[in-house]
């Protein structure tokens, strides 16, 4: 039983560390204990180890670690995808090899759909390329979304790709391309998630925990006959919990590593993709991507400092047309001749600007109003919870 105790502890520890590393950077958790742990784990601890290594080996271990980290996390590579597929395949194969003969056909039948699903959705995420924006030698950039003049402004050029960036796009330094409606680059699928394949990523996040929970249920059906407790002991008594622990030990001994161990791995890791799915459901409800949520977080901080002002595009365009001499500011705000019009359900006349001194642009003081909260600003891309979900499911 001792090895299984250690296995369970290791699984829980790895799951917790993974959760902190993945979710601690999110704007919503940045100022919570999870965010503090993430900085301690990913920033302060490496800095302390770097100082120790500098004294002992002259920094050689740090240099090799940085090269490995650069390859794994800052270069496009299939290592994480391969490890993920090996883990899923190995766990499922080990479980079915030992549990197949112990399960009825009716219990095995759902696996025909559940088991291939993560592989299919991973493949669709990995192989998708239509969200990469064309390079200068190819046709003009697609324009699927209007510029909101807050997060995205027209006439913004990507210095790497040398193209005008459409609204909601972002350059990915790992893929070396600009991505349409970029959410984030995911090492899990070795690809950027954006317009077209974001829905398959959500399907992957949903299919994986369903498979894990069902696998844990199958293991439960096998070991359940060996779990029995004395009914005469009160539920909240020490004798009841001791009896329950003994029954659990017997069940683990019956299932072994291939059944009980795999089910423990499944039940303790399933909350990770579920938590990530819940976060992305929130993003869909709010009408924004991961990239945009980070931009909104920066605007929120500047609003709290009193550095953000909101104005009317129509009023400012008329002002620039009649006054002249402020072409640079008009270009910076994207109000010097926005090209084309996008068929979008929502229109907004709002434009935002942030200043360094907390004062509105000079000579236009009466045209700007200071805002202190995000609630005072319109999100042009929020079509409502259901509308946002339809857009995502349609690959838009």
């Amino acid at each position: 039983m001792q090895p299984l105790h250690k296995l369970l502890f290791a699984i829980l520890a790895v799951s917790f560390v993974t959760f902190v590393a993945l979710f601690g950077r999110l704007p919503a958790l940045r100022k919570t204990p999870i965010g503090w742990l993430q900085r301690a784990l990913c920033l302060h601890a490496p800095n302390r180890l770097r100082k120790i290594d500098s004294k002992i080996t002259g920094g050689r271990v740090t240099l090799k670690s940085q090269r490995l980290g650069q390859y794994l996390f800052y270069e496009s590579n299939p290592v994480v995808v391969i490890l993920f597929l090996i883990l899923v395949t190995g766990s499922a194969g080990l479980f079915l090899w030992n549990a197949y003969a112990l399960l009825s056909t009716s219990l095995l039948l759902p696996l025909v759909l559940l088991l291939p699903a993560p592989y299919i959705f991973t493949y669709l995420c990995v192989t998708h390329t239509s969200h990469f924006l064309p390079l200068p030698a190819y046709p003009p950039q697609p324009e699927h979304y209007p510029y909101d003049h807050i997060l995205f402004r027209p006439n913004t050029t990507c210095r790497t790709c040398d193209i005008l960036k459409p609204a909601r796009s972002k350059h990915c330094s790992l893929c070396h391309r600009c991505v349409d409606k970029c959410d984030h680059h995911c090492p899990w699928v070795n690809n950027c998630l954006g317009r077209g394949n974001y829905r398959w990523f959500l399907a992957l996040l949903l299919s994986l925990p369903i498979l894990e929970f069902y696998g844990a249920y199958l293991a439960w059906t096998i070991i359940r006959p060996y779990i029995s407790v004395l009914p005469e002991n009160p539920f909240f008594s020490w004798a009841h919990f001791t009896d329950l622990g003994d029954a659990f030990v017997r069940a683990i001994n019956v299932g072994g590593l291939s059944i009980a161990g795999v089910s423990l791995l499944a039940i303790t890791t399933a909350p990770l993709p579920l938590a990530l799915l819940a976060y992305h459901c929130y993003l869909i409800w709010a009408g924004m991507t991961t990239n945009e949520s980070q931009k909104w977080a920066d605007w929120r901080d500047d609003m709290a400092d009193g550095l953000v002002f909101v104005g009317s595009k129509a009023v400012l365009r008329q002002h620039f047309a009649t006054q002249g001499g402020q072409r640079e500011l008009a270009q910076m705000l994207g109000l010097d001749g926005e090209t084309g019009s996008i068929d979008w359900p929502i229109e907004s006349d709002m434009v935002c600007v942030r200043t360094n001194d907390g004062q509105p642009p000079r000579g236009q003081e009466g045209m700007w109003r200071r805002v202190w909260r995000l609630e005072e600003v319109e999100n042009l891309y929020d079509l409502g919870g259901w509308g946002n979900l339809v857009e995502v499911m349609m690959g838009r």
Side-chain angles (χ1 to χ4, degrees):
M1 181 59 190
Q2 191 65 21
L4 288 174
H5 269 140
K6 295 180 179 178
L7 175 64
L8 177 60
F9 177 79
I11 292 173
L12 292 173
V14 170
S15 299
F16 178 74
V17 170
T18 304
F19 175 83
V20 170
L22 288 177
F23 294 94
R25 298 176 60 184
L26 298 178
L29 298 178
R30 194 176 296 167
K31 297 181 180 180
T32 67
I34 297 297
W36 302 332
L37 285 174
Q38 192 274 338
R39 289 189 291 275
L41 178 67
C42 301
L43 183 63
H44 301 306
N47 288 339
R48 181 63 59 88
L49 292 175
R50 192 177 298 115
K51 293 179 181 179
I52 296 174
D53 175 55
S54 179
K55 295 179 180 180
I56 298 177
T57 69
R60 290 191 296 271
V61 174
T62 298
L63 181 60
K64 293 181 179 180
S65 300
Q66 287 177 340
R67 289 175 179 173
L68 178 61
Q70 177 72 24
Y71 174 74
L72 290 178
F73 301 107
Y74 298 100
E75 296 180 15
S76 182
N77 66 82
V79 173
V80 177
V81 181
I82 293 173
L83 292 176
F84 163 65
L85 294 177
I86 289 176
L87 180 62
V88 174
T89 305
S91 299
L94 182 63
F95 178 83
L96 290 175
W97 181 266
N98 293 274
Y100 180 83
L102 304 175
L103 297 170
S104 65
T105 304
S106 60
L107 289 175
L108 290 170
L109 196 58
L111 291 176
V112 176
L113 297 176
L114 297 180
L115 190 55
Y119 295 93
I120 295 173
F121 295 133
T122 299
Y123 173 80
L124 292 173
C125 288
V126 170
T127 59
H128 186 83
T129 58
S130 65
H131 59 328
F132 292 125
L133 295 173
L135 293 174
Y138 293 89
Q141 306 304 320
E143 295 184 358
H144 300 117
Y145 312 97
Y147 293 97
D148 65 347
H149 292 270
I150 303 174
L151 305 182
F152 305 98
R153 305 185 193 275
N155 305 320
T156 303
T157 301
C158 175
R159 298 179 180 179
T160 304
C161 296
D162 193 26
I163 62 173
L164 287 176
K165 299 176 65 175
R168 310 192 81 177
S169 66
K170 180 181 181 294
H171 182 83
C172 176
S173 59
L174 280 75
C175 295
H176 307 292
R177 294 285 294 276
C178 283
V179 180
D180 196 5
K181 196 186 178 184
C182 179
D183 189 89
H184 70 285
H185 182 94
C186 180
W188 191 352
V189 297
N190 191 34
N191 197 0
C192 269
L193 302 173
R195 182 182 174 92
N197 70 341
Y198 179 61
R199 54 180 171 173
W200 304 128
F201 176 70
L202 298 177
L204 174 61
L205 293 181
L206 179 62
S207 64
L208 187 60
I210 289 177
L211 175 63
E212 290 182 296
F213 282 130
Y214 189 71
Y217 169 73
L218 293 180
W220 168 252
T221 62
I222 294 173
I223 64 178
R224 180 174 54 185
Y226 302 93
I227 297 182
S228 60
V229 295
L230 298 176
E232 59 269 17
N233 292 326
F235 183 82
F236 290 104
S237 67
W238 181 255
H240 173 77
F241 286 109
T242 301
D243 192 24
L244 188 63
D246 293 338
F248 182 74
V249 169
R250 292 193 298 270
I252 294 295
N253 289 332
V254 171
L257 180 64
S258 59
I259 296 178
V262 170
S263 67
L264 283 174
L265 176 65
I267 203 69
T268 53
T269 56
L272 292 176
L274 275 181
L276 190 55
L277 178 63
Y279 175 69
H280 281 278
C281 288
Y282 159 73
L283 292 178
I284 294 172
W285 172 80
M288 57 185 176
T289 65
T290 300
N291 174 50
E292 291 164 8
S293 72
Q294 295 170 348
K295 290 178 178 289
W296 281 120
D298 294 336
W299 278 100
R300 181 190 61 213
D301 293 341
D302 289 337
M303 288 177 187
D305 293 334
L307 304 177
V308 178
F309 298 84
V310 63
S312 165
K313 288 189 290 187
V315 171
L316 288 167
R317 279 200 178 102
Q318 183 178 9
H319 170 78
F320 292 134
T322 57
Q323 295 297 322
Q326 294 183 320
R327 182 173 178 80
E328 184 177 346
L329 178 59
Q331 288 179 337
M332 187 271 290
L333 295 175
L335 299 176
D336 62 334
E338 184 177 348
T339 59
S341 61
I342 306 297
D343 183 17
W344 191 250
I346 299 177
E347 294 184 0
S348 175
D349 187 49
M350 183 175 289
V351 59
C352 283
V353 64
R354 55 164 63 94
T355 61
N356 295 326
D357 58 0
Q359 299 298 321
R362 294 178 181 176
Q364 305 172 10
E365 287 81 357
M367 303 178 189
W368 296 95
R369 173 175 60 87
R370 193 191 308 271
V371 291
W372 296 95
R373 300 180 304 162
L374 285 178
E375 290 76 10
E376 302 177 60
V377 178
E378 300 172 0
N379 180 5
L380 183 61
Y381 308 120
D382 184 8
L383 305 180
W386 178 252
N388 298 334
L389 180 61
V390 170
E391 286 287 304
V392 170
M393 292 299 101
M394 296 297 293
R396 298 196 292 258

